[in-house]
Amino acid sequence: MSFLPALLAVSLAAVHALAGRLRLLDRVPRSRWLSFAGGVSVSYVFVHLLPELGEHQEAFDGVGPVAGLVDQHVYLLALVGFASFYGLERLAQRSRARRSTDGPNAETSTTDGVFWLHMGSFALYNVLIGYLLVHREAPGVASLLFFAVAMALHFLVNDTGLRHHHRDAYDRIGRWSLALAVVVGWLLGSILTVRTLTVGALTAFLGGGVVLNVIKEELPEERESRFWAFAVGAAGYAALLLAV
């Protein structure tokens, strides 16, 4: 069991390192595979991750004054994750718009400051995912594999969006930083154990971030996203999660 999280951490890192070679993903209309991957990621959050948190809220009882807030509003942390990554997305869009007279969707990149802010934020996001390969609300091999598959597909979605914003800087620096962050998260999980309250709070934050990072790629009209591929991914993974 201790070997499997390490293998999965390396595999998730490889998604960021190699996703840029899959040029069929970066096109308009949006690749069916990306829409499918987004559907799987969102399905995992709504069918498994957030309900699991709701079932385990007793872990927050009696841990201190902050625990009362989390106990009553665990989904507030998901909202914080959603809003945080929405803010990062708007910042990137505005940065690109200021550098081009053709608007935020022109073939341009963000400023260096926005690039590093984005990379730092998503690196922490990936550290959290790497940590949760070792420490999750639900133990077991099946739970770990469902989580890893959903996050691997989610990384494909994130990788495409980040490359769209940051262009060459992402290929030269960003993707390697995010790949390394997953492995760092796994290493931290292997040597450190935080309280169940903290794991639950971070998991809720992650859930909100996953939903926003998928939806922001699917909704813009200019992406010409594939609704049916998204729906098949969401429904298929939901059915699999519910059947196990």
Side-chain angles (χ1 to χ4, degrees):
M1 181 64 179
S2 59
F3 172 75
L4 185 57
L7 177 62
L8 293 174
V10 173
S11 300
L12 287 175
V15 173
H16 275 307
L18 302 175
R21 297 178 180 272
L22 302 175
R23 294 303 181 186
L24 76 160
L25 298 180
D26 189 15
R27 61 182 174 83
V28 176
R30 187 169 175 79
S31 167
R32 292 181 178 87
W33 294 109
L34 276 181
S35 291
F36 177 86
V40 169
S41 304
V42 169
S43 175
Y44 180 81
V45 171
F46 282 108
V47 177
H48 187 79
L49 203 64
L50 296 183
E52 184 179 274
L53 286 172
E55 292 173 3
H56 292 84
Q57 284 197 27
E58 65 269 15
F60 299 117
D61 291 339
V63 187
V66 177
L69 176 64
V70 177
D71 183 45
Q72 296 300 319
H73 303 291
V74 65
Y75 298 107
L76 179 61
L77 293 170
L79 176 61
V80 171
F82 186 97
S84 297
F85 283 95
Y86 176 67
L88 287 170
E89 176 67 12
R90 291 296 297 147
L91 185 64
Q93 289 177 351
R94 291 183 178 182
S95 175
R96 292 179 61 206
R98 284 194 293 267
R99 300 188 78 183
S100 171
T101 58
D102 297 325
N105 296 308
E107 294 292 320
T108 188
S109 61
T110 61
T111 62
D112 289 345
V114 172
F115 168 74
W116 286 112
L117 178 60
H118 238 181
M119 289 306 101
S121 301
F122 275 90
L124 291 174
Y125 184 79
N126 281 14
V127 167
L128 170 58
I129 290 171
Y131 183 87
L132 291 176
L133 288 172
V134 183
H135 302 283
R136 293 174 319 287
E137 288 288 307
V141 174
S143 170
L144 174 59
L145 292 177
F146 278 124
F147 175 74
V149 169
M151 292 303 102
L153 294 175
H154 179 53
F155 279 4
L156 283 178
V157 176
N158 280 355
D159 196 86
T160 302
L162 291 168
R163 183 170 288 104
H164 179 70
H165 281 316
H166 305 298
R167 306 292 174 181
D168 291 342
Y170 182 74
D171 282 326
R172 288 186 290 103
I173 302 171
R175 62 181 175 136
W176 301 110
S177 301
L178 299 189
L180 178 62
V182 182
V183 178
V184 169
W186 166 74
L187 286 172
L188 289 175
S190 300
I191 61 178
L192 297 175
T193 301
V194 299
R195 295 187 301 178
T196 303
L197 170 64
T198 304
V199 173
L202 293 175
T203 303
F205 180 87
L206 173 66
V210 169
V211 172
L212 185 280
N213 284 314
V214 170
I215 295 303
K216 74 179 177 61
E217 296 297 323
E218 291 294 322
L219 288 184
E221 183 178 355
E222 67 274 6
R223 301 288 174 84
E224 298 183 30
S225 298
R226 312 288 190 148
F227 169 75
W228 290 111
F230 180 90
V232 168
Y237 211 64
L240 186 60
L241 287 167
L242 292 172
V244 174

